[in-house]
Amino acid sequence: MKFTLQKVCPKTGARAGLLETEHGVIETPVFMPVATKGSVRGIPWETIKELGAQIVLANTYHLHIRPGDKLIQKAGGLHKWSNWSGPFLTDSGGFQVFSFARRGKAKIMDSGVTFKDDLEGKMHFMGPKESMEIQKNLGSDIVMAFDHCPPADATREGIDYSVNLTTEWTKQCMDYELQSHQSLFPIVQGGRFEDLRHKSLKELVKLDAPGYALGGVSVGESREEVDRIVQTMANELPSNKPRYLMGVGTPRDLLMSVTSGMDMFDCILPTRLSRHGSFFRKNPEGWKTESVTQKEFTEDFNNPIMKNCQCPTCSQFSRAYIKHLFKRSEITVYYYIAVHNLYTLINLTKNMRKAILEDRFVEFIKSNGILGESSTEKEYNLVNT
Ligand SMILES: [Zn+2]
């Protein structure tokens, strides 16, 4: 894997780059749709391609439990099994197995986590070696290191323990021999404690991995806390390597995080929101998440759910029609809304990239929402310093 930094916005630190993998070149900043069980929920692969997705994320835990990573290996790996020929990133499985611990269904040890899966009720063990073995079988292009994920409200001692264990586990992951096309990204932990974040980052950067991720930033912290963590940590990550912010993905959060110098993003929101009738919409005062059931949509036959959106849904259907489909639980509507949401995030990152390359990034974000009427003081400061 090779990363080339093409341009950095001198005012904000926003970056445009190229990430070359064996399954394709990824232009950054990039939004990665989530294919939890090997498919982006409810969206055919041909649509994912048409929307311009360059890389997708698959979940190690889910695929390990069913159909099993060994079966996927037999099929020739994730790419052949799913027929998605572009790059795949797999998470480490850590996030899911630690969520079992939060529900009292797992035992955490210094060597890994023992847990009972919620599908078949079988006992499993996952540690750094097991996570690497599963991801090797899956054959993804970017492999995430197995990290210790503390809950957002963990004590300082708890988070310090998690930072130390994450470093130890990452070293074991780095020693594991993956397939030749696979690259390992460590995950910086440290919760809301700045000094622990710095400690985690410093220890992991020493390992000289091909890319780095910020983890544990969307597990219940406030929007301000997430902004603060991303702002302070992003530019301490090596500038010549891709920087991945895990689990973050509203238009507003992407604008803020690219502004802070992050390159890669994933989030389940575009498809999850669609099942609740929610969609991303740009307003004069910034980006919002709104409902298709709003009163004004009932008889609006002339406008799409978001004016001026070029997505396949907004190019074809009125607000009144989409609202009706949702109210009647007609299953095509979940697809239509998800297409709008995915298009929004994929296109927003593409447009940010273009603006960075053309030296007009600050103008772009000023006209794209984070500097709208409801901007916080912090948002202004970030762009104006
Ligand atoms: Zn649209």
Side-chain angles (χ1 to χ4, degrees), residues 305-306 309-315 339-341 343-344:
I305 52 174
M306 187 172 104
C309 176
Q310 310 293 318
C311 85
T313 299
C314 292
S315 309
V339 161
H340 165 82
N341 289 340
Y343 174 93
T344 298

Side-chain angles (χ1 to χ4, degrees), residues 51-67:
L51 290 172
Q54 308 177 72
I55 170 171
V56 295
L57 185 150
N59 282 102
T60 290
Y61 165 78
H62 290 286
L63 296 173
H64 171 59
I65 301 297
R66 279 190 195 166

